[in-house]
Amino acid sequence: MKTIIEPFRIKAVEAIKITNREERVRLIEEVGLNPFLLRGEDVMIDLLTDSGTSAMSSEGWAALMRGDESYAGARSWYRFKEAVQEVFGFEHVIPTHQGRAAERILFGIMVKPGHFVPNNTHFDTTRANIEFRGGEAVDLPCPEAKQPDLIAPFKGNMDLEALRALIERVGVAQIPLIMVTITNNSGGGQPVSMANIRGISEIARAHGVPFYIDACRFAENAWFIKQREPGYADRSVPSIVAEIFSYADGCTMSAKKDAFANMGGFLCTRDAQLAEEERNLLILTEGFPTYGGLSGRDLDAIAVGLREILAEDYLNYRAASTAYVVNHLTALGVPMVLPAGGHAVYIDARRFLPHVAPMQYPGWSLAVELYKEGGVRGVEIGTVMFGLNPHTGEEAPGPWDLVRLAIPRRVYTQSHMDYVVEVVAAVWARRAEIRGLKIKSAPRFLRHFTATFEPLT
Ligand SMILES: *Cc1c(COP(=O)(O)O)cnc(C)c1O
């Protein structure tokens, strides 16, 4: 059969409140044109993030009931630790309440003022945690990543020449670790090839610099390697995952992504000394090392999710359902980041609204219009998110202006996605009348979460 069906059936449902355009215009104006500040119930199709929004399986829910809430050494902890070790192959596992807590602990120990941390593209919390420590987060995406509509298999790759040049320029002593984000979330959800991961690892090892993977979407990345990289078609997903992490010294992970959990994260390392320092920081702010800010039931849900996410039927459906939206929008002429990535579709707002200058926030304007049109909530990945240097207060256009429509795992059906396509098509048809925005108020760090806006007059 040609049709790739959702490889699950639905056992519990959550009602969606249907709103009309007039209500939505009022609602978004009330929150200063910032979709992050809307009430979730006022959103019809919530594509703000795939983080913590996944549907758990009946096995995941059953695992919650097995949660052991002992303060220290709970059975849940051992099930969690064994699942993480089995999938990723790292000896030391530090549980955290989410990915950014893993980042804060890792960078709190490794990053000092004046340091540089290279990555293919830093996720926003990763960048902010490095900058908060006084370090500089350096993005080194491959040249193909800069051409949104270029079809290439691994546009998430890091530019290895640029990595060598950075090491040469700033000196290896100033680089506490090298990171790569799989898949490259802020760079269009594009995968990183095994060859690139191996290449980064070789450079890191040659210079004695630790190599860490931001592992949030490790299973989707492994699936793309299986589909697209020569030599991997017959390999199992778990064995591809094991190979990926064999090249690294550690990883940070948000279990809210490729572990189907609503909350959780972890930090892994092979270095016993570092793990001890990390546990000391963990105790200070997260919790005892066998729970790290998580309930026993959360640890159990993650243990189940980490194994479920490796199922090929699931990953095949996941990639196909994302590609479905990208293919339909591309056919309508909507400028998209191509090819389809794993967890989200990205609309190229600079080409969608060429009459809105980057400093007038075309991505943000488009996100606001998608909400007004159909109650669809997406997020700007562009000048609002990346345009402010928090140290100097200077503002400049971001590297691109995209609207990301992230797709929660196993939550929406194909008819929901047909509706999303219809909403984007309606905004596309009236794009000439859409104007830019200006910022009314904003903080310096992670300003997109709380900034307010007003229309340009
Ligand atoms: C979500 C995410 C993080 C941060 O994880 P949280 O659980 O939201 O704190 C880090 N890196 C990437 C690539 C992410 O997608």
Side-chain angles (χ1 to χ4, degrees):
M1 294 297 139
K2 285 207 307 291
T3 307
I4 297 168
I5 62 168
E6 286 91 348
F8 49 82
R9 49 189 188 181
I10 296 166
K11 193 173 218 164
V13 298
E14 187 180 356
I16 293 173
K17 185 169 95 186
I18 306 294
T19 53
N20 64 37
R21 185 168 217 287
E22 196 184 322
E23 289 166 329
R24 291 190 294 266
V25 169
R26 177 177 56 76
L27 289 164
I28 193 79
E29 283 174 358
E30 277 172 10
V31 295
L33 303 180
N34 186 337
F36 279 103
L37 303 178
L38 289 164
R39 284 172 181 251
E41 63 176 334
D42 293 331
V43 176
M44 286 171 58
I45 307 286
D46 204 348
L47 308 181
L48 186 70
T49 177
D50 64 320
S51 178
T53 53
S54 300
M56 293 208 306
S57 65
S58 48
E59 290 304 315
W61 284 100
L64 290 184
M65 283 307 294
R66 282 194 296 272
D68 173 354
E69 306 302 341
S70 304
Y71 188 93
R75 281 171 291 203
S76 301
W77 154 249
Y78 289 101
R79 289 192 283 259
F80 166 84
K81 186 175 78 153
E82 277 156 25
V84 175
Q85 287 172 334
E86 175 191 306
V87 174
F88 297 91
F90 295 111
E91 184 177 349
H92 304 284
V93 182
I94 316 279
T96 61
H97 78 278
Q98 56 185 98
R100 70 197 68 185
E103 293 168 352
R104 191 185 59 78
I105 289 170
L106 180 67
F107 302 145
I109 293 167
M110 297 187 96
V111 178
K112 305 274 180 299
H115 276 169
F116 296 82
V117 180
N119 202 322
N120 46 354
T121 309
H122 289 85
F123 182 67
D124 55 0
T125 62
T126 321
R127 166 176 296 280
N129 271 295
I130 291 167
E131 290 174 349
F132 189 69
R133 295 286 305 158
E136 195 176 312
V138 185
D139 290 341
L140 304 174
C142 65
E144 301 93 285
K146 291 162 199 154
Q147 289 164 264
D149 55 351
L150 174 83
I151 309 256
F154 292 107
K155 291 171 75 178
N157 282 354
M158 183 184 276
D159 183 338
L160 299 184
E161 279 314 308
L163 177 60
R164 287 195 194 92
L166 178 80
I167 296 171
E168 182 89 354
R169 181 165 68 80
V170 305
V172 67
Q174 292 308 104
I175 302 181
L177 74 165
I178 297 171
M179 289 191 83
V180 71
T181 305
I182 63 169
T183 57
N184 189 2
N185 183 1
S186 304
Q190 299 290 323
V192 180
S193 71
M194 191 72 88
N196 194 251
I197 292 168
R198 203 182 302 118
I200 301 166
S201 171
E202 281 164 11
I203 294 172
R205 288 198 177 153
H207 290 87
V209 179
F211 171 41
Y212 273 71
I213 297 180
D214 179 336
C216 293
R217 297 178 184 79
F218 73 98
E220 290 174 6
N221 202 98
W223 180 252
F224 285 119
I225 288 173
K226 184 176 167 84
Q227 299 301 304
R228 298 179 185 174
E229 191 157 350
Y232 288 92
D234 297 327
R235 289 269 299 272
S236 74
V237 174
S239 87
I240 296 173
V241 170
E243 182 179 340
I244 291 173
F245 290 93
S246 73
Y247 299 122
D249 298 294
C251 74
T252 57
M253 173 72 184
S254 170
K256 303 170 74 173
K257 318 292 170 54
D258 271 2
F260 292 120
N262 300 126
M263 191 48 72
F266 50 88
L267 173 58
C268 294
T269 174
R270 301 186 201 283
D271 180 336
Q273 164 92 38
L274 180 64
E276 196 179 314
E277 284 179 62
E278 288 169 351
R279 279 188 207 106
N280 291 339
L281 260 190
L282 184 80
I283 292 176
L284 209 59
T285 58
E286 291 275 306
F288 191 71
T290 65
Y291 73 86
L294 294 169
S295 306
R297 54 181 170 270
D298 292 330
L299 295 168
D300 266 309
I302 295 166
V304 169
L306 280 178
R307 293 186 175 116
E308 261 177 17
I309 201 94
L310 299 173
E312 299 205 354
D313 287 342
Y314 163 74
L315 289 167
N316 189 26
Y317 139 78
R318 175 73 169 158
S321 62
T322 304
Y324 179 87
V325 179
V326 172
N327 294 343
H328 278 77
L329 290 175
T330 304
L332 293 169
V334 177
M336 307 291 296
V337 174
L338 299 175
H343 70 292
V345 312
Y346 296 73
I347 303 170
D348 185 348
R350 270 190 204 163
R351 284 188 296 142
F352 195 111
L353 300 173
H355 54 288
V356 177
M359 296 308 293
Q360 301 173 349
Y361 313 124
W364 204 278
S365 302
L366 178 55
V368 168
E369 293 306 318
L370 294 176
Y371 177 73
K372 288 181 186 168
E373 191 68 41
V376 173
R377 176 158 71 170
V379 67
E380 185 246 35
I381 306 239
T383 301
V384 177
M385 192 179 270
F386 296 120
L388 180 69
N389 180 323
H391 300 294
T392 63
E394 273 167 56
E395 228 199 322
W400 42 62
D401 282 285
L402 308 174
V403 173
R404 184 188 75 180
L405 303 177
I407 307 179
R409 294 167 187 76
R410 306 188 293 207
V411 170
Y412 293 112
T413 63
Q414 187 170 328
S415 82
H416 290 118
M417 291 301 122
D418 288 333
Y419 174 82
V420 170
V421 169
E422 194 180 336
V423 169
V424 177
V427 176
W428 175 242
R430 60 175 181 81
R431 62 192 180 278
E433 68 196 45
I434 295 170
R435 283 174 303 153
L437 301 168
K438 63 178 186 221
I439 289 183
K440 232 165 99 181
S441 67
R444 276 201 169 187
F445 286 95
L446 298 177
R447 62 177 175 167
H448 51 287
F449 287 131
T450 53
T452 59
F453 298 81
E454 56 195 6
L456 281 174
T457 42

